[in-house]
Amino acid sequence: MSNLMETRRSAHVLVVAWVFVVVFFLLDLLIPPDIASGTAYVIVVFILARYGRYDQLPLIACTTMALVVVDTFISGPQFVDWPILSNRIMTLMAIGISAALLLQQQQLREQDKTRDILFRNLLDSAPDAMVIVNERGHIELANKQVEALFGYKKSDLIGRPIEVLMPERFAQAHVGSRNGYFASPVTRSMGQNIDLRALKQNGQEFPVEISLSPLETDQGLLVSAAIRDVSERREADAKFRNLLDSAPDAMVIVGDNGEIVLANKQTESVFGYSQDELVGQPIEILMPKRFQGKHAHHRQSFFVTPIVREMGRNLELFGQKKTGQEFPVEISLSPLETKEGLLVSAAIRDITERKDKEVELNRYAQQLESKNQELEQFAYIASHDLQEPMRTVSSFAGLLLDEYRGQLDQNADTYLQYISDSSQRMTLLIKGLLDYSRIGSQSTLSLVKCDDLLSELRQDLEVIIVEQHATVRHSGLPELVTYGNELRQLLQNLLSNAIKFHKPGCPPEVTVSATKHEAFWQFTVQDNGIGIDPLYQDRVFMIFHRLHTTDEYEGTGIGLAHCKKIVELLGGTLWLDSEPGVGSQFHFTVPDRSAEYRPPVTPLETVT
């Protein structure tokens, strides 16, 4: 409807314009030629411009100029003199110049309109809500994002004060801030370090960040305000702070300038500073002065090559409380990529309690080592010193039996036999105890060919193997670097036990095998003997612990205790799988110590 009315009005303007042209032409014919009545055509030009009919303006201007020329000569050339001619020339110039100026003005308006449309389109394409404000604080322009963010229509905001978009409690103070900004306008951000709030049309408040930019225009100074809703970011920041505060260690976030950006609650409890006291301070505030000078260089080096790592590994690191008290710490560093640039998260742990316990454990370890040395020395001395009197008792008991057997009564013979047997067992026990105390005293690494070692052990045990009709199998055993003498004694004890504890009437069968794992070999000594009840499998490795009487199976109860101690010396583990009446499998692990081995130097090599 409006377009139709506009079309009709435009048509009426043209009709009126042509009517005026005809009337002015007739008047010009009636009025003497020396009067500049033709300038009335300028009125028609301005009428067309006033009503926006610039498309018809050139035609009307050319037509009227032609009519001026026609009117000049219609009365006959003989009446045209120089004053009349100059009058007409000025009339033509007035019509032409006015038309040209009006057309130029229209072109400039079209350009301004195009720029205005472009500016509005650019404003609407901005990701943030954009508001243009004049010096009186009134809104001149707003983009589509303002509608989406605040709930107002753009037309409802034009001409209203900018304070309509903020909570009332901030409005009065904002007027002074706004006037101050117009006094010294510079591009800057607002709300990065303070809590700025905006107000929707429905009364809902939300946090924002604002960027201000001055705009110099023909209408004076304007200010562009880019408003961003940071609700999600604030929620994320709150979650991050909560996570940070829930961390068990003191957490400090540091910028590339070495200043603390954020600190959690544990930092307050560990160092004694409040969060407000730490933010903006150099990280060196948390360390003793003697380390502060060097730390700046280390910090800059980390920012050059930021990787997750522990700080000061194998070094003693210390923190310093607000009171000046120093304490040992462990620090883990992690880079954080953010919009503001690279930050570093430092997790700081107070290890005072651990250090105290380490000192205490070291003291206990030293005491334990000292006690073990004393016990080993005592066992060695006791067993060594007891050997001689036990040999004497055993010898004299044997002499009495040889010379006086049958000469005394039967009880005396029995008692002497008990003395002889007990002294012999005691001698074996003392020897076993002496061997036990010597385990590891002269350990040396060597390259051991285990198949050759087993072949030698078979020769050493040949007597018992033949007596018991035993079979010992082995093949494919490894070559490895270990304590050769101890490994020999270990395998000898396990083989002896496997042959000794056989089932009556069943020849012993023993198999020795080995399996390679990552950094160690697992050996297995398997037999078909009497087996061990699961209730007693943990007790068989205890020294002097026996499951059978000496009448059933000879022994002192030290052999498997020897094995356990030897395996621990080798750096492995010993365990047992067994089923009564079926047999046993003794497993032990031996690490290959090739990295520690240094082959013996021959005299020729020494000379070379």
Side-chain angles (χ1 to χ4, degrees):
M1 181 67 72
S2 60
N3 291 337
L4 181 60
M5 292 177 63
E6 183 66 25
T7 303
R8 288 178 178 176
R9 189 179 68 170
S10 179
H12 291 160
V13 170
L14 285 176
V15 171
V16 170
W18 284 108
V19 169
F20 269 89
V21 169
V22 172
V23 170
F24 290 154
F25 178 71
L26 294 175
L27 287 174
D28 198 21
L29 289 175
L30 297 174
I31 296 173
D34 57 342
I35 298 175
S37 58
T39 55
Y41 291 122
V42 174
I43 297 173
V44 179
V45 172
F46 276 96
I47 289 174
L48 291 174
R50 171 64 181 80
Y51 289 98
R53 291 310 306 260
Y54 289 92
D55 55 332
Q56 295 295 321
L57 196 149
L59 177 62
I60 293 291
C62 292
T63 301
T64 55
M65 292 172 72
L67 292 175
V68 169
V69 174
V70 170
D71 182 67
T72 303
F73 294 97
I74 199 167
S75 300
Q78 66 275 15
F79 296 103
V80 178
D81 56 9
W82 176 246
I84 293 174
L85 185 60
S86 62
N87 177 284
R88 294 300 177 175
I89 292 173
M90 295 195 59
T91 299
L92 293 174
M93 291 179 60
I95 296 172
I97 291 172
S98 61
L101 289 175
L102 289 173
L103 287 172
Q104 184 181 17
Q105 183 183 32
Q106 170 61 13
Q107 186 178 9
L108 292 174
R109 286 178 179 176
E110 290 294 334
Q111 291 177 355
D112 289 341
K113 186 177 179 180
T114 302
R115 283 196 295 266
D116 185 61
I117 293 173
L118 178 62
F119 177 73
R120 289 174 181 271
N121 289 337
L122 288 173
L123 207 63
D124 285 336
S125 66
D128 298 324
M130 301 290 294
V131 178
I132 309 298
V133 182
N134 60 27
E135 292 187 67
R136 299 189 310 277
H138 292 172
I139 298 173
E140 293 278 350
L141 196 62
N143 67 351
K144 290 182 180 179
Q145 283 69 28
V146 173
E147 294 183 346
L149 183 60
F150 288 92
Y152 291 96
K153 290 184 178 180
K154 292 189 292 184
S155 58
D156 294 339
L157 288 174
I158 303 302
R160 300 183 67 178
I162 186 64
E163 286 76 19
V164 73
L165 300 180
M166 62 184 63
E168 187 176 353
R169 63 183 183 278
F170 299 130
Q172 186 174 359
H174 183 263
V175 173
S177 301
R178 170 166 51 78
N179 293 334
Y181 181 83
F182 274 95
S184 56
V186 292
T187 301
R188 65 182 177 88
S189 299
M190 297 173 59
Q192 291 185 338
N193 298 318
I194 57 175
D195 186 21
L196 286 184
R197 293 276 168 172
L199 185 68
K200 294 180 183 288
Q201 187 181 26
N202 60 11
Q204 178 187 352
E205 293 186 15
F206 59 98
V208 293
E209 284 183 357
I210 303 175
S211 296
L212 302 178
S213 300
L215 298 173
E216 292 288 350
T217 69
D218 296 337
Q219 290 78 33
L221 179 65
L222 301 178
V223 172
S224 167
I227 307 168
R228 177 171 295 179
D229 182 357
V230 293
S231 301
E232 293 184 0
R233 190 199 307 171
R234 293 290 171 85
E235 290 177 4
D237 288 346
K239 290 180 181 179
F240 178 72
R241 286 178 180 271
N242 291 336
L243 287 173
L244 210 63
D245 287 337
S246 66
D249 299 324
M251 301 290 294
V252 179
I253 310 297
V254 183
D256 57 2
N257 59 355
E259 292 183 359
I260 297 172
V261 177
L262 191 63
N264 67 350
K265 291 182 179 179
Q266 283 69 26
T267 305
E268 295 184 359
S269 60
V270 171
F271 289 92
Y273 292 96
S274 67
Q275 292 182 354
D276 292 338
E277 289 178 307
L278 288 175
V279 173
Q281 294 294 324
I283 186 62
E284 286 78 15
I285 194 176
L286 302 179
M287 62 183 62
K289 288 185 179 180
R290 63 181 183 277
F291 298 127
Q292 293 180 2
K294 295 181 179 179
H295 183 263
H297 172 71
H298 296 316
R299 170 169 49 78
Q300 292 168 2
S301 299
F302 182 83
F303 274 94
V304 173
T305 55
I307 55 173
V308 177
R309 66 176 177 87
E310 293 181 13
M311 180 179 173
R313 183 177 294 179
N314 302 323
L315 297 177
E316 293 287 338
L317 297 180
F318 291 90
Q320 181 172 284
K321 298 179 182 290
K322 184 178 180 180
T323 59
Q325 177 187 353
E326 295 185 12
F327 59 99
V329 295
E330 278 184 353
I331 303 176
S332 296
L333 302 178
S334 300
L336 297 174
E337 290 288 349
T338 68
K339 293 182 179 179
E340 290 75 21
L342 179 64
L343 302 178
V344 172
S345 167
I348 307 169
R349 177 170 296 179
D350 183 353
I351 58 172
T352 302
E353 185 177 353
R354 188 205 303 173
K355 286 291 184 181
D356 292 341
K357 288 187 176 180
E358 286 179 359
V359 171
E360 186 177 357
L361 286 174
N362 287 335
R363 185 172 68 252
Y364 286 153
Q366 292 175 358
Q367 292 176 355
L368 183 60
E369 184 178 359
S370 177
K371 295 296 183 184
N372 285 337
Q373 290 177 352
E374 291 176 3
L375 287 174
E376 289 182 3
Q377 187 176 8
F378 169 77
Y380 176 78
I381 294 174
S383 58
H384 183 272
D385 292 346
L386 287 173
Q387 279 187 335
E388 186 59 32
M390 287 310 305
R391 279 198 294 267
T392 301
V393 172
S394 180
S395 297
F396 279 104
L399 289 173
L400 287 173
L401 280 174
D402 292 341
E403 294 184 11
Y404 296 100
R405 187 188 301 272
Q407 299 183 21
L408 303 175
D409 59 15
Q410 186 176 358
N411 288 336
D413 291 345
T414 302
Y415 298 154
L416 287 173
Q417 187 63 49
Y418 284 158
I419 294 172
S420 177
D421 293 344
S422 297
S423 61
Q424 289 177 5
R425 282 200 305 276
M426 189 63 179
T427 299
L428 292 175
L429 285 172
I430 292 171
K431 183 180 182 303
L433 184 61
L434 180 61
D435 292 339
Y436 186 82
S437 66
R438 286 175 173 173
I439 291 175
S441 60
Q442 297 180 344
S443 302
T444 55
L445 290 175
S446 60
L447 179 62
V448 180
K449 298 180 180 180
C450 294
D451 274 321
D452 294 346
L453 177 60
L454 262 294
S455 298
E456 294 174 5
L457 289 176
R458 289 177 59 184
Q459 293 178 2
D460 294 343
L461 300 173
E462 185 176 3
V463 174
I464 187 175
I465 290 174
V466 173
E467 286 180 355
Q468 302 297 336
H469 305 287
T471 301
V472 179
R473 302 184 184 90
H474 65 89
S475 64
L477 298 181
E479 296 183 6
L480 72 160
V481 175
T482 186
Y483 299 115
N485 292 333
E486 283 70 15
L487 180 61
R488 181 189 188 92
Q489 187 176 354
L490 170 63
L491 290 170
Q492 181 174 329
N493 286 350
L494 293 176
L495 288 175
S496 298
N497 277 0
I499 295 172
K500 179 170 65 175
F501 292 99
H502 66 277
K503 292 180 288 190
C506 181
E509 295 183 2
V510 186
T511 303
V512 181
S513 60
T515 305
K516 181 71 170 71
H517 294 272
E518 291 184 359
F520 61 88
W521 285 88
Q522 178 180 322
F523 287 80
T524 299
V525 179
Q526 181 177 354
D527 62 56
N528 63 338
I530 60 174
I532 301 174
D533 192 293
L535 294 174
Y536 306 109
Q537 288 181 10
D538 293 336
R539 298 165 59 185
V540 296
F541 298 109
M542 299 170 61
I543 192 169
F544 297 134
H545 189 84
R546 292 176 53 86
L547 301 181
H548 307 278
T549 65
T550 54
D551 294 336
E552 294 176 304
Y553 295 98
E554 295 181 356
T556 60
I558 299 179
L560 288 179
H562 277 187
C563 294
K564 185 174 184 298
K565 187 174 181 180
I566 291 171
V567 171
E568 290 174 352
L569 173 68
L570 296 177
T573 306
L574 173 64
W575 69 99
L576 166 65
D577 292 326
S578 184
E579 184 178 350
V582 177
S584 301
Q585 291 181 346
F586 284 86
H587 309 280
F588 64 91
T589 58
V590 180
D592 192 344
R593 299 177 179 269
S594 300
E596 307 171 28
Y597 180 56
R598 296 293 181 271
V601 180
T602 64
L604 181 59
E605 290 173 336
T606 304
V607 173
T608 304

